[in-house]
Amino acid sequence: MKRSSSLLIFTVLSLPLISAVGWELSIPSTTAARSSLRVREGSRFKIAIFADLHFGEDSWTDWGPRQDANSVNVMSTVLDAETPDFVVYLGDVVTANNIAVHNASLFWDKAISPTRDRNIPWTSLFGNHDDASFVWPLDWFSSSGIPPICCPVVSNFSSSSSSDDDDGCDFRGTTRVELIQEELRASNALSYSTIGPKELRPSVSNYVIPVQSSDDSKRVIALLYFLDSGGGSYPEVISNAQVEWFKTKSKTLNPDLSIPELIFWHIPSKAYKKVAPRLWITRPCVGSINNEKVAAQEAENGMMRVLENRSSVKAVFVGHNHGLDWCCPYKDKLWLCFARHTGYGGYGSWPRGSRILEITEVPFRIKSWIRMEDGTVHSEVSLTGDD
């Protein structure tokens, strides 16, 4: 994480939905999440993945807000070039451990804005930074002292707890549930994000979205599963309870394995270490950067074993590692793919971009490639074995 030597007053004037009077977040009243997607007639269904945006990082400096603006530019470039039907925010939307305000949703909303402004539906899941507690910078305790911080007051913030500070700064972080609640309120009915079953807590972003055929049959042509891989306020892990939930849900929705399934979570499983290229990315793997080791979840509780035994599962998509963007086959049964680091926040200086998925209904196939900020496209791969 880069830091600037110049400290500025922390403001969020550039964030949309904040009125000039009272520093209040104006949020529409609707909170209803949507349940299914549909392929447009005569069209392919395209998904853009935005990973590791890290909004709100070092927001008290001149560097932090510039990175957020750069990240908005990356997303805008990708959205205008690809015109996707759906966007997945693949975790670490914000760097909560750098956010002093009472409600990190102010930064979350800024990250969502390029998609919402284009009336494109989206969904989000959590990474290890999204609800992390504020980490006090060590240099704040040196002779330079704590910079002047002006935190906005959010009058309709959903949390029942109140800050001990009148200025809106409490450094406590915003919970996963609060983040989704605020996202849904500000979504203009475009968000598919869901607060998952309570029995899976502390994990929250666990849900499935069906993609329906373009015809009137409402036939499901693909199932998109989203799981919370933890981190931040609790260990980086997919729990046994989540595994059992997935087994039950998938057997109910797809008992004969006839519907292709795509899986999304943030932190790679240990299986990614097994398929990782040793140095250069060569076939059968496809990608452009392999510049760090896989930083996997802390434990494996059987999720990969379940997935490899379901022939309907075509691929898993993760973020977390900013210096990896490859897809590799796992046991010749499914693909394990990294997204591409999209945000200018977070570590690493590799060029930014987005992994794109394209689903063709007839004949059914799934293709993926990476769209870069500079407009170039690379690393195209078929995820259904039909090259």
Side-chain angles (χ1 to χ4, degrees):
M1 174 167 49
K2 183 177 178 180
R3 295 195 178 276
S4 169
S5 59
S6 59
L7 298 176
L8 302 180
I9 295 177
F10 169 66
T11 63
V12 285
L13 284 171
S14 61
L15 299 180
L17 302 182
I18 301 175
S19 67
V21 179
W23 294 81
E24 294 183 357
L25 180 65
S26 302
I27 299 176
S29 59
T30 178
T31 59
R34 301 164 72 180
S35 58
S36 62
L37 295 160
R38 188 175 182 182
V39 180
R40 289 178 293 161
E41 187 174 357
S43 208
R44 296 168 180 171
F45 190 82
K46 190 183 290 186
I47 300 171
I49 301 176
F50 294 148
D52 297 279
L53 293 165
H54 289 281
F55 270 67
E57 191 159 284
D58 283 13
S59 49
W60 55 86
T61 71
D62 56 353
W63 177 84
R66 284 203 309 270
Q67 305 320 300
D68 290 351
N70 290 337
S71 298
V72 167
N73 289 337
V74 176
M75 290 185 282
S76 298
T77 297
V78 170
L79 293 172
D80 292 341
E82 293 287 354
T83 61
D85 301 283
F86 194 58
V87 171
V88 173
Y89 285 84
L90 199 64
D92 282 1
V93 178
V94 297
T95 302
N97 42 295
N98 264 195
I99 296 176
V101 300
H102 185 58
N103 184 2
S105 293
L106 297 168
F107 291 97
W108 192 282
D109 184 81
K110 180 67 173 176
I112 297 295
S113 64
T115 302
R116 184 185 55 229
D117 291 348
R118 289 165 175 77
N119 291 314
I120 301 171
W122 76 86
T123 200
S124 61
L125 55 80
F126 291 113
N128 51 300
H129 284 279
D130 290 314
D131 74 341
S133 297
F134 185 79
V135 176
W136 290 83
L138 191 59
D139 58 5
W140 285 16
F141 299 90
S142 67
S143 57
S144 61
I146 298 175
I149 300 177
C150 298
C151 296
V153 176
V154 184
S155 61
N156 56 349
F157 182 49
S158 61
S159 174
S160 59
S161 63
S162 61
S163 171
D164 294 333
D165 301 317
D166 294 333
D167 61 3
C169 302
D170 70 349
F171 308 97
R172 71 171 183 88
T174 308
T175 70
R176 279 164 151 81
V177 170
E178 289 167 345
L179 286 166
I180 291 185
Q181 287 173 337
E182 297 297 325
E183 178 189 313
L184 292 175
R185 285 186 176 90
S187 72
N188 294 336
L190 290 168
S191 174
Y192 281 72
S193 299
T194 301
I195 297 172
K198 210 166 188 177
E199 60 268 24
L200 301 183
R201 303 284 172 83
S203 70
V204 171
S205 51
N206 304 288
Y207 53 95
V208 57
I209 302 175
V211 179
Q212 295 179 345
S213 170
S214 59
D215 60 34
D216 294 329
S217 67
K218 294 188 177 181
R219 177 177 57 90
V220 176
I221 66 162
L223 291 166
L224 312 180
Y225 286 89
F226 302 88
L227 289 106
D228 193 332
S229 56
S233 60
Y234 71 98
E236 298 178 353
V237 67
I238 292 177
S239 69
N240 181 71
Q242 289 170 279
V243 175
E244 293 302 317
W245 170 83
F246 175 83
K247 287 165 62 176
T248 300
K249 180 67 72 173
S250 59
K251 285 178 181 178
T252 300
L253 296 176
N254 196 17
D256 61 358
L257 308 179
S258 62
I259 305 172
E261 297 167 322
L262 299 176
I263 317 296
F264 302 82
W265 64 65
H266 180 70
I267 304 174
S269 66
K270 292 181 181 296
Y272 276 75
K273 289 186 172 183
K274 297 177 182 178
V275 302
R278 288 177 179 263
L279 184 59
W280 309 114
I281 300 174
T282 57
R283 292 285 182 177
C285 296
V286 179
S288 70
I289 54 173
N290 184 42
N291 292 338
E292 58 178 327
K293 293 182 179 179
V294 173
Q297 296 168 31
E298 296 174 46
E300 174 63 57
N301 291 302
M303 191 70 207
M304 289 307 304
R305 186 164 57 251
V306 172
L307 297 183
E308 69 183 68
N309 288 325
R310 290 185 65 81
S311 59
S312 50
V313 175
K314 303 305 178 185
V316 180
F317 301 94
V318 302
H320 194 56
N321 279 102
H322 300 181
L324 304 174
D325 74 351
W326 44 259
C327 285
C328 290
Y330 179 65
K331 297 186 176 181
D332 296 322
K333 296 182 178 182
L334 67 148
W335 287 85
L336 300 183
C337 294
F338 280 96
R340 179 78 185 207
H341 183 201
T342 307
Y344 271 78
Y347 70 91
S349 59
W350 302 285
R352 273 61 174 185
S354 169
R355 178 166 293 282
I356 308 296
L357 311 179
E358 184 182 75
I359 300 174
T360 302
E361 186 175 358
V362 180
F364 185 87
R365 60 172 61 97
I366 305 170
K367 189 166 64 172
S368 180
W369 61 87
I370 293 172
R371 166 74 65 170
M372 300 301 294
E373 180 183 13
D374 65 4
T376 58
V377 172
H378 61 81
S379 303
E380 183 174 315
V381 59
S382 171
L383 302 177
T384 45
D386 44 21
D387 281 330

